[in-house]
Amino acid sequence: MASLKEIQEYVIELFDTQNFEKQPSMLYTPVQYTMSLGGKRLRPMLLMLATDMFGFDYKQTDNAAIAIELAHNFTLLHDDIMDESPLRRGKPTVYQKFGTDKAILSGDVMLAKAYEYLLKCDAKKNQQLVKTLNSVLIQVMEGQAYDMDFEQRNDVTQKEYITMISLKTSVLLAAALKMGAILADARAEDMNALSEFGLFLGIAFQLQDDILDCWSDLNEFGKVVGSDVVDNKKTILFLTAVEKANDTDATELTNWYLEKTNDFQKKKQRVIELFEKYNVKSDVEQLINNYTNKALESLDKIGVSEDKKENLRQLAKSLINRKK
Amino acid sequence: MASLKEIQEYVIELFDTQNFEKQPSMLYTPVQYTMSLGGKRLRPMLLMLATDMFGFDYKQTDNAAIAIELAHNFTLLHDDIMDESPLRRGKPTVYQKFGTDKAILSGDVMLAKAYEYLLKCDAKKNQQLVKTLNSVLIQVMEGQAYDMDFEQRNDVTQKEYITMISLKTSVLLAAALKMGAILADARAEDMNALSEFGLFLGIAFQLQDDILDCWSDLNEFGKVVGSDVVDNKKTILFLTAVEKANDTDATELTNWYLEKTNDFQKKKQRVIELFEKYNVKSDVEQLINNYTNKALESLDKIGVSEDKKENLRQLAKSLINRKK
């Protein structure tokens, strides 16, 4: 069995040496730009950690790992257009750098390329892999639609929010793990427990992202701090704050989120002050702990020896304590 | 064997009775809107005509037929954003009606749904079907990139143009036929000849589209007449005209295509006048005839009796003589 660090280095190297550049360059230059921006490479990591846990050689899963990273980056590329995000990983987003049209088309081709890489995997596992990726991608898109819908709504519940982030984030993490398990010929019950681990981990991961949006350093975070607030994203912080606040503060918070203001510095400052007044950060941290524990309980159910689960356990903990 | 009319009616009925509406409606209402706009349903028709020609029951191919129509409509939806097309089939395009963000996301989900429908087909043929669709979708996207690139360039050749429309249009028609052949267990050599038929037919079809853009009736055509001219699309008409024109007229034509003008009525009128001065329509009609003949020669090579090819032959001829 490999160490977490070995697999991490292998994944980084894998993407550092890929070249997606080809003709027409109008289409593929933005793909290469996106794929070379780095990032955590979390989904390929999860895929390889899963195969390794079940005793399969993770170095045989390059195509599936590239497929899931392409699929993930496709969603980011299109989301950044819809969310008008200027920065991703500290660099201009594709639509900012190349324009909306090229961002749409390059995103499309990344999705198609994801299937192409997946179709290069073991023919016997092809169908199951494609089905897995495809069905979660539909869920991710549904999650993005709910996310956009919530920006317009004023009655979003915490439960709805958790469902939305499960769709938008968790299912793809779960799919990465499941695809690793498929490639490793894992038993169905182990595959299910591992997917469950991914789902809970994904929720914890996204809640941590919500915290980082408000309290982190731009240079470390790579995205604009407070952009969820500016974009009226009713994250868990907002929903918890509105629930805990007195009537005056709840009304003020709700009003800030009614429309997009140009004075976003003031908005960010005041909203975060209110978040801090009601100490919502520690509530959310508690929630993150709960979901992390659920994830680890799911990991416990998998029928391999405990030492083999150590890498995923360690990764889960590091994700929850991350600064970017 | 069924008649062309029977299969046509079956296809129309198939799409008239599909309902793509589900939650979240923000995502699926535009899908239903697009899929219910009608259109020729040419790709499902070709798929079913191919299965029928090889003696397989075309009524067993609904999922593949829906898949290819979804995939085609996904490309239209995103292309309409990039080309800023206001009308499609006589109705507002999705991005005009629902906004760019929803048009991007609904297009994405149509593509993913296309794979979903395809994955419902016979498991043994799954991989071949998905590979076929996926590889041509990448080509279609490359074709769209070249199309956008050509708008900026002033040295596009006829050969480059034919390559671009092959990618953007023909390969998907060829894939529809090939998928029908795959489902019907056709022999590899017949599959190849049929794909070739689709490729040549697609070129003839697109050249006819170029003619219709300039000389057709809005109510019949369903798109804005002359929009290729307004959008500086260097279609075969433009390329032929520039080649045939004297220096003064060639310069004038080239100048009209240098930038987008607001006085597009004058531009359309003057450009079409120049097309007519050099009689380019009849040149292009000759080219269409050549490609149609090549298509029919490819059809000849297929190892089924001549009467079984009659439907595809008839369809090919009707497409070339169409008014919309």
Side-chain angles (χ1 to χ4, degrees):
Chain A
M1 206 185 139
S3 72
L4 186 58
K5 192 159 173 275
E6 275 172 299
I7 298 185
Q8 200 147 30
E9 282 169 359
Y10 182 82
V11 169
I12 298 296
E13 171 78 10
L14 173 67
F15 286 95
D16 280 353
T17 54
Q18 290 301 310
N19 190 354
F20 298 93
E21 197 73 71
K22 57 174 277 202
Q23 289 299 320
S25 58
M26 177 191 265
L27 184 61
Y28 290 105
T29 300
V31 176
Q32 176 60 19
Y33 173 77
T34 304
M35 294 301 286
S36 64
L37 280 184
K40 289 179 279 291
R41 311 292 190 199
L42 177 57
R43 291 144 199 88
M45 278 287 292
L46 289 170
L47 187 146
M48 290 195 179
L49 286 167
T51 54
D52 188 58
M53 179 174 73
F54 291 115
F56 185 86
D57 181 7
Y58 67 88
K59 294 181 180 173
Q60 306 296 315
T61 64
D62 291 0
N63 286 324
I66 294 171
I68 197 138
E69 187 70 359
L70 277 166
H72 169 58
N73 278 276
F74 143 75
T75 67
L76 298 183
L77 216 158
H78 281 189
D79 285 3
D80 284 343
I81 306 172
M82 300 177 223
D83 295 341
E84 295 175 19
S85 309
L87 289 181
R88 167 78 60 188
R89 294 167 188 150
K91 295 274 167 63
T93 51
V94 171
Y95 98 95
Q96 280 278 334
K97 191 175 167 77
F98 299 94
T100 302
D101 292 350
K102 291 180 198 170
I104 294 172
L105 197 59
S106 302
D108 291 346
V109 86
M110 285 171 82
L111 177 56
K113 283 276 167 188
Y115 291 101
E116 191 179 73
Y117 276 94
L118 211 51
L119 288 163
K120 291 181 195 169
C121 299
D122 181 352
K124 285 192 300 265
K125 289 162 186 167
N126 245 241
Q127 200 195 350
Q128 206 184 348
L129 290 170
V130 174
K131 271 196 177 165
T132 301
L133 181 64
N134 195 64
S135 74
V136 303
L137 280 172
I138 292 173
Q139 290 178 286
V140 171
M141 293 164 194
E142 292 175 352
Q144 171 68 2
Y146 283 119
D147 194 11
M148 285 159 67
D149 188 38
F150 290 179
E151 284 177 43
Q152 316 298 326
R153 277 179 48 196
N154 270 308
D155 56 352
V156 180
T157 65
Q158 286 209 12
K159 195 180 159 199
E160 284 180 305
Y161 181 72
I162 299 288
T163 303
M164 184 276 282
I165 62 172
S166 299
L167 290 169
K168 205 176 154 173
T169 304
S170 303
V171 293
L172 196 59
L173 301 189
L177 292 159
K178 188 177 171 186
M179 285 161 67
I182 291 169
L183 287 164
D185 280 319
R187 296 178 312 161
E189 55 266 45
D190 288 343
M191 229 182 259
N192 291 338
L194 188 60
S195 294
E196 210 179 72
F197 163 77
L199 286 175
F200 289 130
L201 181 69
I203 296 171
F205 176 80
Q206 182 56 49
L207 297 178
Q208 178 66 13
D209 220 53
D210 291 353
I211 288 183
L212 287 173
D213 180 75
C214 283
W215 295 282
S216 63
D217 179 70
L218 169 63
N219 294 329
E220 225 175 342
F221 190 42
K223 289 187 270 190
V224 177
V225 178
S227 60
D228 286 347
V229 177
V230 175
D231 292 343
N232 296 335
K233 298 270 182 196
K234 279 113 190 166
T235 68
I236 196 74
L237 298 165
F238 172 83
L239 298 170
T240 309
V242 168
E243 204 180 85
K244 289 177 82 178
N246 64 35
D247 285 355
T248 319
D249 289 342
T251 306
E252 185 186 342
L253 261 176
T254 308
N255 284 338
W256 277 117
Y257 279 67
L258 277 184
E259 50 192 302
K260 298 208 176 182
T261 168
N262 286 326
D263 194 358
F264 50 80
Q265 287 305 344
K266 190 179 164 200
K267 176 177 179 177
K268 272 199 256 190
Q269 193 197 336
R270 185 62 190 138
V271 165
I272 293 175
E273 260 173 34
L274 286 166
F275 288 172
E276 285 171 352
K277 177 174 176 185
Y278 291 99
N279 209 12
V280 293
K281 191 178 169 190
S282 84
D283 289 273
V284 176
E285 282 168 342
Q286 186 54 49
L287 209 53
I288 291 171
N289 266 332
N290 295 348
Y291 280 107
T292 308
N293 288 337
K294 282 189 188 187
L296 295 175
E297 282 165 27
S298 303
L299 200 59
D300 288 342
K301 290 190 238 164
I302 296 172
V304 299
S305 60
E306 286 309 302
D307 59 312
K308 294 210 166 127
K309 301 173 186 172
E310 202 40 46
N311 280 344
L312 281 175
R313 200 170 276 133
Q314 207 182 313
L315 181 74
K317 286 176 185 163
S318 74
L319 284 177
I320 302 317
N321 296 313
R322 77 191 193 282
K323 297 280 170 251
K324 61 175 183 174
Chain B
M1 206 187 139
S3 72
L4 186 59
K5 192 159 173 280
E6 275 173 300
I7 297 185
Q8 201 148 30
E9 282 170 2
Y10 182 82
V11 169
I12 298 297
E13 171 78 10
L14 174 66
F15 286 96
D16 280 353
T17 53
Q18 291 301 311
N19 190 353
F20 298 92
E21 197 73 72
K22 57 175 279 204
Q23 288 301 319
S25 58
M26 177 190 268
L27 184 61
Y28 290 105
T29 300
V31 176
Q32 177 60 20
Y33 173 76
T34 304
M35 293 301 286
S36 65
L37 281 184
K40 288 179 280 292
R41 311 293 188 199
L42 176 58
R43 290 143 199 89
M45 277 289 290
L46 289 171
L47 188 147
M48 290 195 179
L49 286 166
T51 54
D52 189 57
M53 179 174 70
F54 292 114
F56 185 86
D57 182 7
Y58 68 88
K59 294 183 180 172
Q60 306 297 315
T61 64
D62 290 2
N63 286 325
I66 295 171
I68 196 138
E69 187 70 0
L70 278 165
H72 170 58
N73 278 275
F74 142 74
T75 68
L76 298 184
L77 218 156
H78 281 189
D79 285 3
D80 284 343
I81 307 172
M82 300 178 224
D83 295 340
E84 297 176 18
S85 309
L87 290 180
R88 167 78 60 189
R89 292 162 189 154
K91 296 273 168 59
T93 50
V94 171
Y95 98 96
Q96 280 278 335
K97 191 175 166 79
F98 299 94
T100 301
D101 291 351
K102 290 179 198 169
I104 294 172
L105 197 58
S106 301
D108 291 346
V109 87
M110 285 171 82
L111 177 57
K113 284 274 168 190
Y115 291 101
E116 190 178 75
Y117 276 94
L118 211 51
L119 289 163
K120 290 182 195 169
C121 297
D122 183 351
K124 285 192 298 268
K125 290 163 185 166
N126 244 245
Q127 201 195 349
Q128 205 184 348
L129 290 170
V130 174
K131 270 195 178 167
T132 302
L133 181 65
N134 195 63
S135 74
V136 302
L137 280 172
I138 292 173
Q139 290 178 286
V140 172
M141 292 163 195
E142 292 176 352
Q144 171 68 2
Y146 283 118
D147 194 10
M148 286 158 68
D149 188 36
F150 290 179
E151 285 177 41
Q152 315 300 325
R153 278 178 47 195
N154 270 307
D155 55 352
V156 180
T157 65
Q158 286 208 12
K159 196 181 158 199
E160 283 181 306
Y161 181 72
I162 299 288
T163 304
M164 184 274 282
I165 62 173
S166 299
L167 290 169
K168 205 176 155 174
T169 304
S170 303
V171 293
L172 196 59
L173 301 188
L177 292 159
K178 188 177 172 185
M179 285 161 67
I182 292 169
L183 288 163
D185 281 319
R187 296 177 312 160
E189 54 267 44
D190 288 343
M191 228 180 256
N192 291 339
L194 188 60
S195 293
E196 210 179 71
F197 164 78
L199 286 175
F200 289 130
L201 181 69
I203 295 171
F205 176 82
Q206 182 57 49
L207 297 179
Q208 179 66 12
D209 219 54
D210 291 352
I211 288 183
L212 288 172
D213 180 75
C214 282
W215 296 281
S216 65
D217 180 71
L218 169 64
N219 294 328
E220 223 174 340
F221 190 43
K223 289 186 269 192
V224 176
V225 178
S227 59
D228 286 346
V229 177
V230 175
D231 292 344
N232 295 336
K233 298 271 185 197
K234 279 117 191 160
T235 68
I236 196 74
L237 299 165
F238 172 82
L239 298 171
T240 309
V242 168
E243 205 179 83
K244 291 177 82 180
N246 62 35
D247 286 356
T248 319
D249 289 343
T251 306
E252 185 187 343
L253 261 175
T254 309
N255 283 339
W256 277 117
Y257 280 67
L258 277 183
E259 50 191 302
K260 299 209 175 182
T261 167
N262 286 326
D263 193 358
F264 49 80
Q265 287 306 343
K266 189 178 164 205
K267 175 177 179 176
K268 272 199 257 191
Q269 194 197 331
R270 187 59 192 140
V271 165
I272 294 176
E273 260 171 35
L274 286 166
F275 288 172
E276 286 170 351
K277 177 173 176 187
Y278 291 98
N279 208 14
V280 294
K281 191 178 171 192
S282 83
D283 289 276
V284 176
E285 281 167 345
Q286 187 53 49
L287 209 52
I288 292 173
N289 266 332
N290 295 349
Y291 280 108
T292 309
N293 288 337
K294 282 189 189 187
L296 295 174
E297 282 165 27
S298 304
L299 200 59
D300 288 341
K301 291 189 235 163
I302 297 172
V304 300
S305 60
E306 286 308 303
D307 60 309
K308 294 209 165 127
K309 301 173 186 172
E310 202 38 47
N311 281 343
L312 281 175
R313 200 170 276 135
Q314 207 181 313
L315 182 74
K317 286 175 185 162
S318 74
L319 284 176
I320 302 315
N321 296 312
R322 77 193 194 281
K323 297 279 170 253
K324 61 175 182 173

